[in-house]
Amino acid sequence: MEKKVILVTGGSGLVGKGMETIIKSDKREDEDWIFLSSKDANLLSKEDTFAVFEKYKPTHVIHLAALVGGLYAHLGNNCDYFRSNVKMDDNILEACHQNKVKKLVSCLSTCIFPDKTSYPIDETMLHNGPPHPSNAAFAYAKRMMDLQNRKYNEEHGCMFTSVVPCNVFGPYDNFDPLHAHVMGALINRAYQAKENGTTFEIWGTGAALRQFIYNLDLAKLFIWVLREYTEVDPIILSPNAEDEVSIKDVAMMILEAFDFKGEVQFLTDKSDGQLKKTASNAKLRTYLPQFQFTSTRQAIKETVQWYIDNYHTDHIRK
């Protein structure tokens, strides 16, 4: 039996930790999993990247590491988001090619799709127009992963592909209110408001609609892609379109999970960001028609409890 050595970059983050949790109960005898963190290698450095590949000699790679953030983290930092992600992704792709990695699965995002488009979006629409200006640099950097996957396949026969998840959240998320994505930021603010007896603030009108995926559900799907998916074309990993919820509704679910009874205020002078980016999971359903997603309400309840239990530990980025 040939051993698979599976290297996961960004292994200490939201998706990586979810994957590590799932693998504990779903590890196969022919698989060795290695979860890297930024402490193990600086993936912005070509030398460090190639050194870590030489050290572990992976046969398969899941590339999660990225410079990411929420709406307000991107505003004013687009140059850094573009340069860092392009450099990191190029290092990983070339290291995989040079080290004859059998399969690379990289992580994109539904936020990189065109801003002005028809809905629901699907995998064929990725390059059909410019992304939303608020995260344009990150979006273009990640679109290049899809382009490079195709070119490495055409020119070198590499099995490089990517997945496109919707908004991910769960234990080990980033909960820093200025740099987190919306779910992590709202959970942080709800905790602080309850602890301090202050007003819970929602930035924007709350009207924006989003699909959310629990990190444990995404981890299961990522592992399936690594083991079973054979297309170079990307695949959207998202709950059904009808499971889309407004930011206002998400905020109310979070307050319910915290049993918060205080005042709520919408800061309508703040940007809502992209108002809608509904994604179709039709392609995923052709492969996994019976996959059961955790409901947003239940996943929020579990994440809030994990946040409370771990608030005073090093697990929380806040």
Side-chain angles (χ1 to χ4, degrees):
M1 184 184 298
E2 186 178 2
K3 202 77 167 178
K4 297 185 181 74
V5 180
I6 303 162
L7 186 71
V8 182
T9 72
S12 63
L14 169 65
V15 183
K17 281 295 187 181
M19 210 171 294
E20 191 172 15
T21 299
I22 297 300
I23 283 299
K24 288 176 182 177
S25 60
D26 188 29
K27 187 176 180 181
R28 298 182 178 179
E29 290 184 6
D30 65 338
E31 294 176 348
D32 281 339
W33 289 77
I34 300 159
F35 293 88
L36 292 183
S37 74
S38 57
K39 296 176 182 177
D40 297 303
N42 174 15
L43 300 181
L44 293 173
S45 161
K46 184 176 180 179
E47 292 74 19
D48 277 18
T49 304
F50 274 68
V52 85
F53 272 68
E54 177 61 28
K55 178 179 179 180
Y56 292 110
K57 295 178 170 54
T59 61
H60 296 68
V61 173
I62 293 177
H63 178 39
L64 304 175
L67 180 62
V68 297
L71 171 63
Y72 291 92
H74 281 275
L75 294 174
N77 294 292
N78 274 281
C79 290
D80 288 342
Y81 275 88
F82 183 82
R83 293 179 64 252
S84 294
N85 283 297
V86 166
K87 188 180 296 185
M88 190 185 310
D89 295 344
D90 187 58
N91 287 340
I92 290 293
L93 284 153
E94 185 61 10
C96 286
H97 167 51
Q98 294 294 336
N99 288 274
K100 296 180 171 54
V101 166
K102 293 182 179 179
K103 189 171 185 179
L104 165 67
V105 183
S106 297
C107 191
L108 309 183
S109 169
T110 51
C111 75
I112 75 175
F113 276 83
D115 178 30
K116 301 185 187 309
T117 186
S118 58
Y119 293 101
I121 52 178
D122 65 39
E123 293 83 355
T124 67
M125 302 160 70
L126 182 59
H127 301 282
N128 284 2
H132 192 271
S134 63
N135 70 325
F138 175 81
Y140 279 119
K142 286 301 175 182
R143 286 185 187 187
M144 291 304 98
M145 284 291 292
D146 177 56
L147 174 64
Q148 287 177 288
N149 284 344
R150 297 175 189 279
K151 295 309 172 186
Y152 272 100
N153 179 260
E154 291 171 11
E155 296 178 18
H156 305 292
C158 299
M159 183 54 235
F160 295 172
T161 190
S162 54
V163 305
V164 190
C166 59
N167 293 55
V168 192
F169 74 99
Y172 297 95
D173 204 344
N174 182 351
F175 297 94
D176 180 328
L178 294 178
H179 297 95
H181 288 98
V182 62
M183 188 74 77
L186 287 171
I187 288 173
N188 179 298
R189 289 197 204 107
Y191 180 90
Q192 298 299 330
K194 183 172 183 179
E195 286 292 300
N196 300 321
T198 54
T199 299
F200 174 67
E201 296 180 341
I202 302 169
W203 291 11
T205 67
L209 297 171
R210 294 291 183 268
Q211 287 158 290
F212 290 93
I213 185 169
Y214 196 27
N215 68 333
L216 297 181
D217 291 345
L218 180 58
K220 293 174 186 176
L221 292 171
F222 237 117
I223 293 165
W224 168 79
V225 169
L226 181 83
R227 291 170 174 168
E228 307 293 341
Y229 185 68
T230 58
E231 296 184 40
V232 173
D233 291 342
I235 184 168
I236 291 173
L237 303 181
S238 172
N240 300 333
E242 57 266 27
D243 295 326
E244 191 174 50
V245 292
S246 72
I247 299 304
K248 178 183 178 180
D249 287 344
V250 164
M252 296 305 113
M253 291 179 200
I254 291 170
L255 295 183
E256 177 185 290
F258 275 109
D259 194 28
F260 178 82
K261 305 297 184 183
E263 184 180 349
V264 177
Q265 182 180 7
F266 290 85
L267 304 185
T268 56
D269 59 320
K270 303 284 188 181
S271 173
D272 283 318
Q274 195 169 356
L275 289 176
K276 184 179 177 68
K277 48 182 179 179
T278 316
S280 168
N281 67 0
K283 183 176 182 178
L284 173 65
R285 287 303 189 189
T286 64
Y287 285 101
L288 298 174
Q290 302 304 318
F291 186 85
Q292 294 292 314
F293 288 93
T294 307
S295 72
T296 301
R297 185 180 300 276
Q298 179 60 30
I300 285 174
K301 182 179 178 181
E302 293 178 15
T303 304
V304 165
Q305 189 59 55
W306 179 89
Y307 184 84
I308 293 169
D309 293 343
N310 289 274
Y311 185 80
H312 296 291
T313 73
D314 293 337
H315 297 318
I316 299 283
R317 289 180 287 169
K318 57 183 186 296

